Short mmCIF file of all heavy atoms in Angstrom, two decimals:
data_model
loop_
_atom_site.label_atom_id
_atom_site.label_comp_id
_atom_site.label_asym_id
_atom_site.label_seq_id
_atom_site.Cartn_x
_atom_site.Cartn_y
_atom_site.Cartn_z
N LEU L 180 1.74 38.92 -145.97
CA LEU L 180 0.46 39.59 -145.66
C LEU L 180 -0.31 39.91 -146.94
O LEU L 180 -1.54 39.74 -146.97
CB LEU L 180 0.73 40.89 -144.90
CG LEU L 180 1.50 40.73 -143.57
CD1 LEU L 180 1.51 42.04 -142.81
CD2 LEU L 180 0.90 39.63 -142.71
N HIS L 181 0.41 40.32 -147.97
CA HIS L 181 -0.26 40.59 -149.26
C HIS L 181 -0.89 39.30 -149.80
O HIS L 181 -1.98 39.36 -150.37
CB HIS L 181 0.74 41.15 -150.26
CG HIS L 181 0.20 41.19 -151.66
ND1 HIS L 181 -0.79 42.09 -152.04
CD2 HIS L 181 0.49 40.44 -152.75
CE1 HIS L 181 -1.08 41.89 -153.32
NE2 HIS L 181 -0.33 40.90 -153.77
N GLY L 182 -0.20 38.21 -149.60
CA GLY L 182 -0.72 36.94 -150.11
C GLY L 182 -2.09 36.60 -149.55
O GLY L 182 -2.99 36.19 -150.28
N VAL L 183 -2.26 36.82 -148.25
CA VAL L 183 -3.56 36.55 -147.60
C VAL L 183 -4.63 37.51 -148.15
O VAL L 183 -5.73 37.10 -148.51
CB VAL L 183 -3.45 36.69 -146.07
CG1 VAL L 183 -4.83 36.48 -145.43
CG2 VAL L 183 -2.45 35.69 -145.52
N ILE L 184 -4.30 38.80 -148.22
CA ILE L 184 -5.26 39.79 -148.69
C ILE L 184 -5.65 39.51 -150.14
O ILE L 184 -6.82 39.59 -150.52
CB ILE L 184 -4.69 41.23 -148.55
CG1 ILE L 184 -4.52 41.59 -147.07
CG2 ILE L 184 -5.59 42.25 -149.23
CD1 ILE L 184 -3.85 42.92 -146.83
N HIS L 185 -4.66 39.19 -150.94
CA HIS L 185 -4.92 38.93 -152.36
C HIS L 185 -5.80 37.66 -152.55
O HIS L 185 -6.69 37.65 -153.39
CB HIS L 185 -3.60 38.75 -153.11
CG HIS L 185 -3.69 39.01 -154.57
ND1 HIS L 185 -4.19 40.20 -155.09
CD2 HIS L 185 -3.36 38.25 -155.65
CE1 HIS L 185 -4.16 40.15 -156.42
NE2 HIS L 185 -3.67 38.98 -156.78
N LEU L 186 -5.55 36.64 -151.75
CA LEU L 186 -6.38 35.44 -151.81
C LEU L 186 -7.80 35.77 -151.40
O LEU L 186 -8.77 35.28 -152.01
CB LEU L 186 -5.80 34.36 -150.90
CG LEU L 186 -4.57 33.62 -151.41
CD1 LEU L 186 -3.99 32.73 -150.32
CD2 LEU L 186 -4.91 32.79 -152.66
N TYR L 187 -7.94 36.60 -150.37
CA TYR L 187 -9.30 36.99 -149.92
C TYR L 187 -10.00 37.77 -151.00
O TYR L 187 -11.18 37.50 -151.32
CB TYR L 187 -9.18 37.83 -148.66
CG TYR L 187 -10.47 38.57 -148.36
CD1 TYR L 187 -11.65 37.89 -148.05
CD2 TYR L 187 -10.52 39.99 -148.42
CE1 TYR L 187 -12.83 38.57 -147.81
CE2 TYR L 187 -11.70 40.66 -148.18
CZ TYR L 187 -12.85 39.95 -147.88
OH TYR L 187 -14.04 40.62 -147.65
N MET L 188 -9.32 38.72 -151.63
CA MET L 188 -9.93 39.52 -152.70
C MET L 188 -10.31 38.64 -153.89
O MET L 188 -11.24 38.98 -154.62
CB MET L 188 -8.97 40.64 -153.13
CG MET L 188 -8.84 41.77 -152.12
SD MET L 188 -7.76 43.10 -152.68
CE MET L 188 -8.11 44.36 -151.43
N GLY L 189 -9.60 37.55 -154.08
CA GLY L 189 -9.91 36.64 -155.17
C GLY L 189 -11.01 35.65 -154.82
O GLY L 189 -11.36 34.79 -155.64
N GLY L 190 -11.55 35.74 -153.59
CA GLY L 190 -12.65 34.89 -153.19
C GLY L 190 -12.24 33.52 -152.67
O GLY L 190 -13.07 32.59 -152.62
N HIS L 191 -10.96 33.34 -152.30
CA HIS L 191 -10.46 32.02 -151.93
C HIS L 191 -10.52 31.72 -150.43
O HIS L 191 -10.30 30.59 -150.03
CB HIS L 191 -9.03 31.85 -152.41
CG HIS L 191 -8.87 31.99 -153.89
ND1 HIS L 191 -9.32 31.07 -154.79
CD2 HIS L 191 -8.31 33.01 -154.62
CE1 HIS L 191 -9.05 31.47 -156.01
NE2 HIS L 191 -8.44 32.64 -155.95
N LEU L 192 -10.80 32.75 -149.62
CA LEU L 192 -10.77 32.54 -148.18
C LEU L 192 -12.13 32.74 -147.50
O LEU L 192 -12.21 32.84 -146.29
CB LEU L 192 -9.74 33.47 -147.53
CG LEU L 192 -8.27 33.24 -147.95
CD1 LEU L 192 -7.33 34.23 -147.27
CD2 LEU L 192 -7.82 31.82 -147.61
N GLY L 193 -13.15 32.76 -148.27
CA GLY L 193 -14.50 32.86 -147.68
C GLY L 193 -14.85 34.27 -147.24
O GLY L 193 -14.49 35.26 -147.87
N SER L 194 -15.51 34.36 -146.09
CA SER L 194 -15.97 35.62 -145.58
C SER L 194 -14.83 36.49 -145.09
O SER L 194 -13.70 36.01 -144.89
CB SER L 194 -16.96 35.40 -144.40
OG SER L 194 -16.25 34.85 -143.31
#
Side-chain angles (χ1 to χ4, degrees):
L180 302 188
H181 169 71
V183 177
I184 293 175
H185 202 55
L186 284 172
Y187 164 64
M188 288 182 169
H191 301 289
L192 296 179
S194 67

